[in-house]
Amino acid sequence: MATRLRLLDDAAWVSVNDERAVGTSEVWPVAETFCSCELAWLVVEAFVDVGVNGRRVEARPHGHCLNCGESGTAPWLPVGKVTDDGFRLVEGVRR
Amino acid sequence: MPTDVEQWKDEVYGNEIREHLFRFAEEGWDAIPEEEEDAWFERFKWWGLYHQRKGQESYFMMRIGTPNGVLEPGQLRTVAEVADEYARGPVDNPEFGAAYCDWTTRQSIQLHWIKLEDVPDIFEKLESNGLTTQQACGDSWRNIVGCPVAGKDTHEHVDAWPVAEELHETFKGNDDYSNLPRKWKVSVTGCDQGCGQGDINDLAFEPAEKDGELGFNVRIGGGLARKEPRFARDVDIWVPEEKVTDIAGAATELFHDHGDREDRYNARIKFLVDEWGADKVRRVLQEDYVDWELESAGDDLRDQYTYNAGGHEHGDHVGVHEQPDGNYYVGLNVLVGRQGVDDVYELADLADEYGSGEVRLTQRQNVIVTDIPEEDLDDFLAADLLDDYSPDPHPFMRGSIACTGTEYCSLSIVETKNRQVRYARWLKENVDVPDGVTDFHIHLSGCTASCAQPQIADVSLRGMKTRKDGEPVEALDVGLGGGLGENPQFAEWVEMRVPADEVPGYIQNLLATYEDEREGEETFREFIQRQDEDALQALADPEETDYEDPYMHNTKMTWYPYADEDDMGSSPAPTNGDGEPISADD
Ligand code: HEM
Ligand code: SF4
Ligand SMILES: [Zn+2]
């Protein structure tokens, strides 16, 4: 089944199969890839893109790290997984 | 590739949305196919309906556009009746009760918790009283703003009200202009105070004289959103009053043809003006869009502008003011622009009893009762309602503006209106007003869309998150020193990610520094302007005080921030036309 992905509300939400799945203002723990912190605390200010990689739904969030202040657009990070029972959000550290 | 929104608009947009809206209203919320919801919600905006955020499915914000903020006699009562009957949600707001009206920074009205099923009845009631929600949102000519006291103002040079009216009549519901690349915000100023706030609109008309004739200079490309604020650019065009509609049509067509439809974040005309420069905008208008020789800009009145200009003069319409006809208008302060419905009824009664029944809305979220004869003024001013909506408010009350925020808005990062009410009260109780300061502008926006116009305030607050004691909490970025006037200035962002409960302490410290270090009569804006970057940082520190903030947790993740059971799972939404929960069909 195709997964419908979209950015809504001026890129404040990632929508997966017509449900708002993840929004801005969340704080994501991100391993290594965002700034020089080992674990970045990324405040998501907007989403730049959303895509699917196998069963993994990914997004590129724009924001800044609460530890070091570095701001920018992160590489593709997981948002969740499409399973046979529907869509499940990722929890914990993103990498 | 065209964006989703452009595709949806290609299929159905503009006036024709109405029949679909009415069909869904008839069939009920459930009739909208789930995979089409986002497309329909995008389209419904054109008819003033904005779907509320996650957790509030099936409920809509409804915006009524009142050109220039003018509510003709009787119309305010209609608005109150609609709010009373249809704008009641499952849970009360702790500050404002069960039903209320929001007066917005673009002189419009917002009601919440509107059910799709009620839309036809609401439209009938509004329209039979001369009101409409048409083009209040969406990619179209939005509500036209201007001097709220146009036609009733001793400062006026051109009566802007008939001009705004003609624009409204020409461009509302006009199929030629109904599908623009993005929103299109127009302002008409007729006075020497600059209260139309043209500088922050896509298209601005400002009074100017050319060869002894009064008309308007044209500016294009203002806007505040997305961390890309711009003041409207001077395109060196003057038009006489009778050419305003023609040049407005020409500018709109230029936007229609050249605005970026591939990228909504680059679509506002401010970005086209960035790319082209004012000269090219003028040249293309001349070559492709008008059939007369454009005149160069005339002498404007900008050096006289006092509105939000940072001086000691009041930059608003609050208070008692004489009209040219000898009657008076009285501007009343509405804290954060929200008024409980009983108070709105009472306001309508007072306007009938003492004035002409007309009420006007300002771009500072306040209301104005016009046409009060001098002999009735004292009785009007003694009315009980004015205890809560004062014509002579405390400076911190007077200057407080807040947008919708996480209560209803899906873009928001933080709670706004109720927080700003608490800020204003705390500041009033605890902070000394520096000598000579009569209004101190504090504008709070929940996100970078900047609906509360934070960048043109003394203190700009913008929703953010931070970590405090290990927990994510709601926070605000703080900017300083913005305002309009002859030389408008956006606020400088000075303190980032201040936990929301430390902001009142920050403002207290900031004002103490200002009081200590200001030179003579220096205004707050002048004081901020002479600081360099390091000095700005050093002005004050955020600080916890006895101010308490009940909204520090992630209000965006609640279904409604003020519900006792506020987690998403406790939401009754979506509901049917009777407000009863519809079980999820999965
Ligand atoms: C559900 C509530 C609302 C939503 C979803 C919303 C959405 C937006 C968005 C997306 C923008 C950015 C526009 C752009 O760059 O094209 C914006 C700007 C703006 N909105 Fe709102 N808005 C809401 C409520 C309000 C309210 C309550 C007011 C007035 C109090 C308001 C007045 C404005 C103003 C003045 C601007 C910024 C100026 C500009 O860039 O031109 N909006 N809004
Ligand atoms: S500024 Fe942001 S949070 Fe506030 S109403 Fe506008 S879009 Fe919503
Ligand atoms: Zn970091």
Side-chain angles (χ1 to χ4, degrees):
Chain A
M1 199 189 78
T3 306
R4 276 187 305 279
L5 298 175
R6 183 168 279 143
L7 298 179
L8 291 176
D9 305 327
D10 260 15
W13 286 92
V14 170
S15 161
V16 181
N17 293 330
D18 310 309
E19 289 275 352
R20 282 170 178 71
V22 55
T24 48
S25 98
E26 285 190 28
V27 181
W28 291 7
V30 177
E32 281 161 19
T33 49
F34 183 72
C35 49
S36 52
C37 298
E38 246 173 67
L39 190 66
W41 285 85
L42 175 65
V43 187
V44 179
E45 296 180 51
F47 294 95
V48 176
D49 213 345
V50 58
V52 68
N53 179 356
R55 294 191 148 225
R56 196 165 107 142
V57 174
E58 303 178 320
R60 297 196 65 200
H62 179 91
H64 64 266
C65 170
L66 286 179
N67 289 334
C68 68
E70 171 99 14
S71 84
T73 302
W76 290 100
L77 292 171
V79 169
K81 233 179 160 158
V82 184
T83 69
D84 296 335
D85 309 327
F87 178 71
R88 235 194 22 246
L89 282 173
V90 162
E91 278 167 37
V93 177
R94 296 173 203 246
R95 58 186 84 233
Chain B
M1 206 179 70
T3 61
D4 288 337
V5 175
E6 282 299 324
Q7 253 165 332
W8 296 332
K9 294 192 318 186
D10 276 346
E11 289 162 23
V12 180
Y13 209 58
N15 285 304
E16 60 178 339
I17 297 163
R18 186 182 172 105
E19 55 190 274
H20 297 276
L21 187 55
F22 279 38
R23 173 168 56 86
F24 288 127
E26 175 73 27
E27 294 171 4
W29 160 261
D30 255 0
I32 308 177
E34 207 170 304
E35 67 280 9
E36 292 179 18
E37 279 177 2
D38 296 315
W40 286 114
F41 297 164
E42 188 60 44
R43 297 177 185 128
F44 291 170
K45 291 178 190 172
W46 201 92
W47 275 101
L49 289 160
Y50 219 114
H51 188 249
Q52 290 180 193
R53 71 168 170 87
K54 190 179 165 83
Q56 302 170 2
E57 291 78 9
S58 79
Y59 289 101
F60 291 82
M61 176 274 274
M62 173 179 278
R63 192 180 285 161
I64 304 164
T66 40
N68 218 75
V70 176
L71 284 153
E72 282 159 9
Q75 290 184 336
L76 186 67
R77 185 177 317 283
T78 302
V79 171
E81 286 168 2
V82 170
D84 196 6
E85 188 170 352
Y86 300 105
R88 287 175 186 273
V91 174
D92 291 3
N93 178 300
E95 300 290 349
F96 301 99
Y100 34 84
C101 300
D102 285 357
W103 319 126
T104 83
T105 50
R106 294 196 80 260
Q107 294 171 293
S108 297
I109 301 163
Q110 286 186 191
L111 308 178
H112 295 93
W113 299 119
I114 299 296
K115 295 194 277 293
L116 194 55
E117 291 82 354
D118 291 329
V119 166
D121 290 345
I122 297 173
F123 278 15
E124 188 185 317
K125 182 161 179 113
L126 290 174
E127 288 165 6
S128 62
N129 288 283
L131 292 162
T132 178
T133 63
Q134 190 183 40
Q135 289 174 221
C137 314
D139 294 342
S140 62
W141 268 74
R142 298 296 192 83
N143 190 44
I144 295 159
V145 299
C147 316
V149 289
K152 318 239 161 172
D153 187 10
T154 52
H155 290 273
E156 199 158 59
H157 293 257
V158 198
D159 183 354
W161 174 225
V163 177
E165 255 184 321
E166 192 185 319
L167 290 172
H168 176 78
E169 271 150 33
T170 309
F171 296 104
K172 276 286 140 121
N174 186 329
D175 286 331
D176 293 342
Y177 304 90
S178 67
N179 180 356
L180 300 175
R182 203 74 167 78
K183 59 177 70 168
W184 182 246
K185 295 179 168 179
V186 179
S187 160
V188 184
T189 301
C191 70
D192 57 27
Q193 295 180 297
C195 55
Q197 299 202 140
D199 280 335
I200 57 167
N201 282 267
D202 295 293
L203 173 64
F205 292 97
E206 295 187 279
E209 194 179 304
K210 181 104 191 188
D211 305 328
E213 187 184 353
L214 271 168
F216 295 92
N217 280 350
V218 179
R219 287 180 181 237
I220 298 180
L224 299 176
R226 289 195 85 82
K227 293 190 179 170
E228 298 277 1
R230 298 286 186 282
F231 291 117
R233 265 61 58 90
D234 179 359
V235 290
D236 191 27
I237 295 172
W238 177 89
V239 287
E241 207 176 310
E242 64 273 13
K243 279 265 190 271
V244 167
T245 304
D246 294 331
I247 192 75
T252 317
E253 272 166 47
L254 181 147
F255 178 51
H256 178 280
D257 298 347
H258 296 282
D260 187 350
R261 289 185 193 256
E262 304 283 309
D263 177 2
R264 291 186 65 74
Y265 312 119
N266 193 45
R268 291 284 292 277
I269 200 168
K270 65 185 176 186
F271 297 115
L272 187 67
V273 182
D274 286 0
E275 193 189 318
W276 282 9
D279 290 348
K280 179 168 175 189
V281 173
R282 188 183 201 282
R283 181 161 46 81
V284 175
L285 273 172
Q286 178 71 73
E287 286 169 5
D288 299 342
Y289 294 97
V290 301
D291 58 7
W292 76 93
E293 192 65 34
L294 290 171
E295 299 203 46
S296 60
D299 292 327
D300 62 33
L301 308 167
R302 290 176 67 93
D303 61 346
Q304 298 171 52
Y305 282 7
T306 52
Y307 183 87
N308 189 8
H312 290 296
E313 243 177 288
H314 279 308
D316 57 28
H317 301 85
V318 173
V320 179
H321 304 267
E322 192 173 359
Q323 299 177 185
D325 65 2
N327 290 328
Y328 287 79
Y329 73 81
V330 180
L332 305 178
N333 186 58
V334 182
L335 187 57
V336 303
R338 181 170 286 178
Q339 210 165 8
V341 74
D342 293 337
D343 294 343
V344 180
Y345 279 123
E346 207 171 317
L347 179 65
D349 287 342
L350 289 176
D352 275 344
E353 191 179 342
Y354 297 103
S356 58
E358 182 189 77
V359 172
R360 295 186 175 198
L361 309 176
T362 80
Q363 294 187 61
R364 300 197 54 77
Q365 302 183 324
N366 293 325
V367 297
I368 298 170
V369 177
T370 58
D371 307 323
I372 305 175
E374 188 169 5
E375 62 270 24
D376 294 332
L377 201 50
D378 288 340
D379 289 341
F380 174 78
L381 292 172
D384 289 343
L385 189 73
L386 275 61
D387 295 345
D388 293 325
Y389 305 96
S390 174
D392 184 21
H394 187 280
F396 294 133
M397 297 285 175
R398 185 170 199 144
S400 290
I401 286 185
C403 75
T404 303
T406 48
E407 184 176 15
Y408 302 114
C409 176
S410 61
L411 280 64
S412 191
I413 298 182
V414 299
E415 203 281 342
T416 51
K417 278 202 197 283
N418 290 26
R419 173 172 280 140
Q420 179 84 327
V421 166
R422 300 171 72 92
Y423 280 179
R425 289 190 191 134
W426 188 90
L427 292 170
K428 181 179 163 187
E429 290 301 314
N430 293 284
V431 178
D432 295 330
V433 179
D435 217 27
V437 171
T438 52
D439 40 355
F440 189 71
H441 297 191
I442 304 175
H443 298 188
L444 169 55
S445 254
C447 79
T448 59
S450 305
C451 302
Q453 306 170 345
Q455 301 93 330
I456 54 164
D458 295 309
V459 175
S460 324
L461 304 174
R462 184 172 69 197
M464 223 338 112
K465 285 304 256 300
T466 193
R467 231 166 19 137
K468 180 166 174 168
D469 309 323
E471 292 292 314
V473 295
E474 298 201 352
L476 297 169
D477 288 344
V478 183
L480 301 176
L484 296 175
E486 183 185 9
N487 299 305
Q489 181 90 29
F490 293 126
E492 292 272 355
W493 294 99
V494 172
E495 287 283 337
M496 308 311 265
R497 304 184 284 284
V498 179
D501 59 350
E502 299 177 22
V503 168
Y506 174 82
I507 296 172
Q508 183 172 40
N509 295 339
L510 174 71
L511 286 177
T513 306
Y514 165 56
E515 186 74 300
D516 282 353
E517 296 179 6
R518 72 196 283 199
E519 289 167 2
E521 292 286 278
E522 194 174 45
T523 66
F524 182 77
R525 192 161 148 194
E526 289 162 349
F527 172 73
I528 294 299
Q529 248 162 42
R530 84 170 147 85
Q531 315 288 329
D532 64 24
E533 206 173 311
D534 292 340
L536 279 175
Q537 286 292 330
L539 285 178
D541 287 320
E543 189 179 332
E544 271 184 18
T545 57
D546 65 355
Y547 166 81
E548 280 180 29
D549 197 307
Y551 311 118
M552 293 301 284
H553 62 305
N554 196 349
T555 57
K556 185 168 182 155
M557 300 304 281
T558 66
W559 77 271
Y560 190 61
Y562 328 113
D564 290 335
E565 302 286 331
D566 68 359
D567 61 292
M568 281 288 174
S570 304
S571 170
T575 67
N576 65 17
D578 298 320
E580 293 153 356
I582 305 170
S583 55
D585 46 322
D586 44 312

